[in-house]
Amino acid sequence: MKIKGYLHLFAGMVMLELGNLSSTLAPFNVGVISDGFVASSQDSGLVVSLELFFAAIGALLFGASKLKGRNLAFLGSFIVSSCYFLGSLVTSVSEIFLIKSVSGFGCGMLIASGHSILASSKEPNRAYAMFTVFASCTGATLVYFSSQWIEQGGYVLFFTNFIFIYLALSLLFLLSRTSDSTSTNEVKNSDNSRFYIFACLILAVLFFEVPSSGIWAFMERFGVEDLGMSVSYVGEVISISIILSLLGPAFVGLVGNRLGRKVPILVCLFLSSFCIYFIFGVATVNTFYFGNITWNIIFTIMVIFILGASADIDPSGKLGSWLNACMLLSASISPAVFGWILLDQSLSEIYPYLMFFLLAAFICIFITKRELEPVDKV
């Protein structure tokens, strides 16, 4: 039974990773649409934004429904792989707009299904920590091969190979149980208390993710244009920071529930404000280097603790899906908003406003009571 439980959990990780690939592969989707369909930067960026937006909508809708798990995941994977197939055949940007929007909706189904499994784990902190490691390794591998496929065969080979990836990995869904008996056990607090903690967590994630997504999108431009760094060196810094962010899951796996959740999340938000100050306020090559590394580690730890808390609050995975949707919405909207703001100002000038968002997130977490703590500590 223990082995079956781990296989069930692994199947959920695969579902969640396939659902979030729309975000992981966003830079490559922009590139292949821009080159393969001779689209403008605005059109290629809008295609990716639409896919992320509809992935968020799908996660919101199906996260709140009872239709989750293996069957919904199979349907979502079939929709995404079908969209990749259609994408390899069309030549019009207007057609790819529609195809990627439908693909995003399929990704939302996968996200809702994955969270329904991970959230029902007896140790959600460690479950989401393991998922973070799995997602980082899988994402890094697919990012590497994606660049090779695009160079060799353009968007046709890129889209075609992902048809087989989705179909092949979908076979792992069979490792999951058809239904999750723990999902009916989702009421831990009264309705008023649940609404309060849902609102606090969702607002905290939005307040943190909006500036984070915008900063991430323009981090490379800041290093090159404001600090005079080479593109290759900025890429090296970002790559190292992503690799070292795996220290986050290792830390969470090591400490487990001993530190609780509320205090670590608050500490992460507090340290994030220092990272923003050193990266954009002090703004040197060294602060850019160490600030990025620290930021990514802190971000990973905080997301794991927040998703772990959402799992204890709502073992059905609904809250986890909604928080995931908030992250995707931020990823789809923030770059465009930041791009508009940065037409007249630089990140060095607007970073104090970003810290205001972190303060708002800090307050949202601070005003919670003991709802964020692990079940065995409440």
Side-chain angles (χ1 to χ4, degrees), residues 137-324:
C137 295
T138 305
T141 302
L142 291 177
V143 162
Y144 172 77
F145 283 111
S146 293
S147 62
Q148 305 296 315
W149 297 333
I150 292 169
E151 287 184 355
Q152 294 169 14
Y155 78 92
V156 174
L157 182 61
F158 175 71
F159 285 169
T160 301
N161 283 339
F162 271 99
I163 298 171
F164 296 109
I165 287 174
Y166 270 86
L167 293 178
L169 291 180
S170 295
L171 296 176
L172 295 173
F173 299 170
L174 296 171
L175 299 175
S176 66
R177 295 189 288 267
T178 53
S179 62
D180 190 358
S181 60
T182 60
S183 63
T184 57
N185 229 357
E186 61 177 278
V187 178
K188 171 179 153 181
N189 305 301
S190 68
D191 288 343
N192 288 337
S193 177
R194 282 167 61 81
F195 175 80
Y196 175 77
I197 191 61
F198 271 45
C200 286
L201 274 180
I202 289 171
L203 286 173
V205 168
L206 283 173
F207 281 131
F208 183 78
E209 278 291 331
V210 167
S212 296
S213 297
I215 288 171
W216 184 250
F218 288 93
M219 190 68 77
E220 184 264 355
R221 288 294 85 197
F222 178 78
V224 172
E225 295 177 358
D226 291 56
L227 299 180
M229 301 166 66
S230 67
V231 175
S232 60
Y233 186 65
V234 173
E236 179 185 329
V237 172
I238 294 175
S239 297
I240 292 173
S241 67
I242 292 173
I243 293 171
L244 290 181
S245 69
L246 293 176
L247 293 174
F251 171 80
V252 175
L254 186 65
V255 302
N257 294 332
R258 289 193 289 274
L259 298 179
R261 293 196 185 107
K262 181 175 179 177
V263 171
I265 293 172
L266 291 175
V267 170
C268 286
L269 286 168
F270 182 72
L271 293 176
S272 294
S273 64
F274 277 95
C275 290
I276 287 181
Y277 170 72
F278 280 111
I279 293 172
F280 303 112
V282 178
T284 67
V285 173
N286 285 333
T287 56
F288 182 88
Y289 184 89
F290 291 107
N292 263 285
I293 291 173
T294 307
W295 170 278
N296 273 277
I297 295 172
I298 290 171
F299 176 84
T300 305
I301 292 172
M302 188 172 68
V303 168
I304 292 171
F305 276 124
I306 287 177
L307 290 175
S310 74
D312 273 344
I313 295 166
D314 179 21
S316 73
K318 176 172 67 176
L319 180 56
S321 296
W322 287 1
L323 295 177
N324 201 150

Side-chain angles (χ1 to χ4, degrees), residues 338-345:
F338 268 65
W340 176 70
I341 294 173
L342 293 175
L343 289 174
D344 300 315
Q345 301 181 76

Side-chain angles (χ1 to χ4, degrees), residues 48-128:
V48 172
S49 293
L50 281 173
E51 184 175 27
L52 295 175
F53 176 78
F54 280 102
I57 297 301
L60 286 170
L61 291 177
F62 290 100
S65 75
K66 293 182 179 180
L67 181 64
K68 296 179 199 150
R70 181 197 293 181
N71 293 335
L72 182 64
F74 273 124
L75 177 60
S77 185
F78 174 76
I79 290 173
V80 177
S81 56
S82 298
C83 287
Y84 272 114
F85 173 71
L86 293 174
S88 68
L89 300 177
V90 302
T91 56
S92 168
V93 177
S94 58
E95 291 173 320
I96 207 70
F97 273 125
L98 177 61
I99 290 170
K100 279 297 184 181
S101 297
V102 176
S103 174
F105 204 70
C107 288
M109 295 178 179
L110 287 161
I111 289 170
S113 300
H115 278 295
S116 70
I117 292 177
L118 267 65
S120 65
S121 168
K122 293 181 180 179
E123 293 187 89
N125 276 7
R126 289 194 168 96
Y128 278 107

